[in-house]
Amino acid sequence: MPLNSKIMTAVEQLNYRVTVGDVATQAGLDIDQTERGLLALASEVSGNLQVSEAGDIAYLFPKNFRSVLRNKYWRLRFQALWDKIWPAIFYLIRISFGIFLVLSIVLIFVAIAIILIAMSSQDDRSDNRRSGSFIPRFWITPDLFWFFNPNPRYHRQHVRRQPKDPDQMNFLEAIFSFLFGDGNPNANLEDRRWREIGTIIRTNGGAVTGEQLTPYLEVSDHQRENEDYVIPVLTHFDGRPEVSPQGEIIYHFPTLQTTAKARQQRASSTYLQEYPWKFSQAGSGQILLAIGLGGLNLVGAAVLWSLLRDGTIAIQLGGLVGFVYSIFGVLVAYGIGFLGIPLIRYFWIQGRNSKINARNQQRQTSAVTLSRPDAALQQKIGYAQTFAAQSVVSSENLAYTTEKDLLEQEYERADAIDAEWQQRLNSTE
């Protein structure tokens, strides 16, 4: 089966010796997927299995297992190369939108200037012959340097007072951020959800109530009554329900009670919080500049269209003017989209964030209720703790490991038993 990158990352974070429960909690994966992934990884990199006397299994991996895999599979080598070059490719994609905007403005206003010069030249041809020189009546072109540095005096007086942010976007990156934003802030929401739930279960010894899970789930009032919202958690972490003498249900997760190393775990937050979408991480000045350039682009396109309406001038002048006329539809479409896309995205974000706030409020309410449990909930949590346990697969309680030959392990075990009996005899004497 294909190797899972999340499992490999979790193995590294857990110092290369893990149980299925360790990795499932760390990576936020379900038990079956984690178990299959660990077996596949151990098979590919010659990992070792360690079995405790209680029958629990720990996986031991070499610290250079990624190098072993890269040497073994060209696909992983290609993936490693792609991970290096993709940031550069994506950066070029990001700045291309800003470059196209600047080029669009330059082409439009240069074409306007050429047309106006040609029209002025026709009107003043007789005067030019007498004077021997030609001075156009006016010259229309944007001072692009002004847009990047609109007021040097203001810049010196105000901007220098603020410390420079090393992570601040440059102008071209800000254009992309203004157009499309900066990605989904909750792209890893499900991974965070399962990590938090796994950590809560482990913190409580592998047995919890449904109320202890609600701060990390979306639960409707109907689901809260029959607790069917716990079913995905039971499936994910191989849990099973247990019924108390009072008829209440708690949930037991034996696989998460086994760990390769005793760890004190705490959830990173009392409830799962979704992050609100931001319109853009660009500065307010950069956003205003982008809007201004977008408006300038549309104004220039409108002026140019008034000059090229019948296409006669474009045919007569040809060259750059003819080229701009041929792609004029593309320039106008880009100009409209440059301001239209962010406007649509702004209203979409407002609606999205209102739903996110409602879900966060619901989960926070569940967390507050859990922090102040009534007598019935305290009794239910107390019954769940009767199933709490932790089994550590340590090097001292191993019954078998693939690191050594089986016969050698039998000899070592026999020697250990003899040494233990000898110690007992000496103590009785």
Side-chain angles (χ1 to χ4, degrees):
M1 64 174 292
L3 300 179
N4 191 315
S5 60
K6 292 182 180 179
I7 290 178
M8 292 190 287
T9 301
V11 168
E12 291 173 324
Q13 293 172 342
L14 294 170
N15 202 26
Y16 304 95
R17 187 172 182 273
V18 298
T19 64
V20 172
D22 292 334
V23 176
T25 303
Q26 184 73 19
L29 300 174
D30 63 67
I31 296 298
D32 290 340
Q33 184 181 5
T34 303
E35 188 170 18
R36 292 195 303 269
L38 284 174
L39 287 171
L41 182 60
S43 175
E44 295 294 344
V45 302
S46 299
N48 291 291
L49 303 182
Q50 297 179 335
V51 184
S52 71
E53 295 176 352
D56 299 320
I57 298 175
Y59 296 79
L60 181 64
F61 295 95
K63 294 187 176 181
N64 65 335
F65 73 84
R66 284 193 184 268
S67 299
V68 173
L69 289 173
R70 278 195 294 269
N71 294 332
K72 194 170 185 179
Y73 291 109
W74 68 268
R75 194 182 339 179
L76 290 174
R77 291 198 295 269
F78 176 78
Q79 182 65 41
L81 177 62
W82 178 253
D83 290 341
K84 292 180 181 179
I85 65 176
W86 170 244
I89 295 174
F90 183 63
Y91 181 78
L92 293 176
I93 294 173
R94 291 178 65 190
I95 66 174
S96 65
F97 290 89
I99 293 173
F100 190 87
L101 174 66
V102 174
L103 287 177
S104 175
I105 294 173
V106 170
L107 288 174
I108 288 174
F109 280 91
V110 169
I112 292 174
I114 293 174
I115 294 171
L116 292 177
I117 290 172
M119 295 171 61
S120 178
S121 177
Q122 291 177 358
D123 295 338
D124 297 340
R125 187 169 298 168
S126 59
D127 295 338
N128 292 337
R129 288 174 181 173
R130 287 193 298 269
S131 64
S133 62
F134 166 67
I135 301 176
R137 292 180 179 176
F138 46 85
W139 176 271
I140 299 179
T141 182
D143 184 357
L144 293 179
F145 292 101
W146 183 88
F147 290 107
F148 292 95
N149 189 13
N151 192 332
R153 180 177 299 176
Y154 177 86
H155 181 80
R156 287 193 298 269
Q157 292 178 351
H158 297 273
V159 176
R160 286 185 180 179
R161 295 178 185 176
Q162 300 177 358
K164 184 178 180 181
D165 183 0
D167 297 327
Q168 186 178 15
M169 298 179 182
N170 60 44
F171 169 72
L172 296 179
E173 291 175 320
I175 291 295
F176 182 88
S177 177
F178 169 73
L179 276 171
F180 305 110
D182 303 284
N184 183 1
N186 300 299
N188 65 338
L189 178 66
E190 290 306 309
D191 290 342
R192 288 197 295 122
R193 185 196 307 277
W194 292 119
R195 281 198 296 267
E196 294 283 0
I197 291 175
T199 302
I200 281 294
I201 295 172
R202 288 207 141 189
T203 301
N204 288 275
V208 294
T209 66
E211 289 81 359
Q212 290 173 291
L213 301 176
T214 53
Y216 306 95
L217 299 167
E218 284 78 51
V219 183
S220 66
D221 293 336
H222 173 71
Q223 290 176 318
R224 200 177 296 272
E225 294 177 2
N226 53 31
E227 294 193 2
D228 57 359
Y229 59 86
V230 184
I231 293 177
V233 182
L234 294 174
T235 303
H236 198 89
F237 289 121
D238 193 25
R240 58 173 178 259
E242 304 285 352
V243 182
S244 71
Q246 291 75 27
E248 296 177 319
I249 301 176
I250 62 96
Y251 305 96
H252 181 207
F253 300 85
T255 305
L256 295 188
Q257 292 178 324
T258 302
T259 180
K261 181 180 180 181
R263 299 177 177 90
Q264 190 68 22
Q265 295 187 334
R266 289 289 183 271
S268 59
S269 60
T270 56
Y271 67 97
L272 180 67
Q273 185 174 11
E274 291 182 65
Y275 306 125
W277 286 68
K278 291 188 64 175
F279 176 76
S280 173
Q281 293 182 2
S284 57
Q286 292 174 321
I287 292 176
L288 290 175
L289 177 58
I291 295 173
L293 289 176
L296 179 65
N297 189 50
L298 285 179
V299 170
V303 173
L304 183 60
W305 176 246
S306 68
L307 298 173
L308 296 175
R309 191 176 308 168
D310 57 359
T312 304
I313 297 179
I315 296 174
Q316 292 176 349
L317 296 178
L320 179 64
V321 176
F323 171 72
V324 172
Y325 181 73
S326 67
I327 64 169
F328 186 75
V330 176
L331 298 178
V332 172
Y334 183 81
I336 295 174
F338 186 85
L339 295 178
I341 291 175
L343 182 62
I344 295 172
R345 198 167 57 81
Y346 174 81
F347 289 106
W348 179 84
I349 286 175
Q350 302 309 307
R352 191 70 179 261
N353 282 344
S354 64
K355 295 179 181 178
I356 289 176
N357 291 335
R359 290 194 293 268
N360 283 339
Q361 183 64 39
Q362 180 191 59
R363 289 190 289 262
Q364 185 178 24
T365 302
S366 298
V368 172
T369 302
L370 183 63
S371 66
R372 305 167 184 171
D374 55 21
L377 181 55
Q378 288 179 353
Q379 184 181 30
K380 191 175 179 181
I381 293 175
Y383 180 73
Q385 288 304 297
T386 63
F387 291 87
Q390 185 183 65
S391 176
V392 180
V393 184
S394 65
S395 57
E396 288 78 17
N397 65 356
L398 293 181
Y400 171 72
T401 175
T402 57
E403 297 173 277
K404 299 179 181 179
D405 182 79
L406 181 59
L407 187 60
E408 179 183 355
Q409 295 181 64
E410 293 294 339
Y411 280 128
E412 290 179 353
R413 189 175 297 107
D415 291 340
I417 293 174
D418 290 342
E420 183 180 356
W421 277 105
Q422 186 64 40
Q423 184 178 4
R424 291 181 179 179
L425 289 174
N426 293 336
S427 62
T428 56
E429 293 177 355

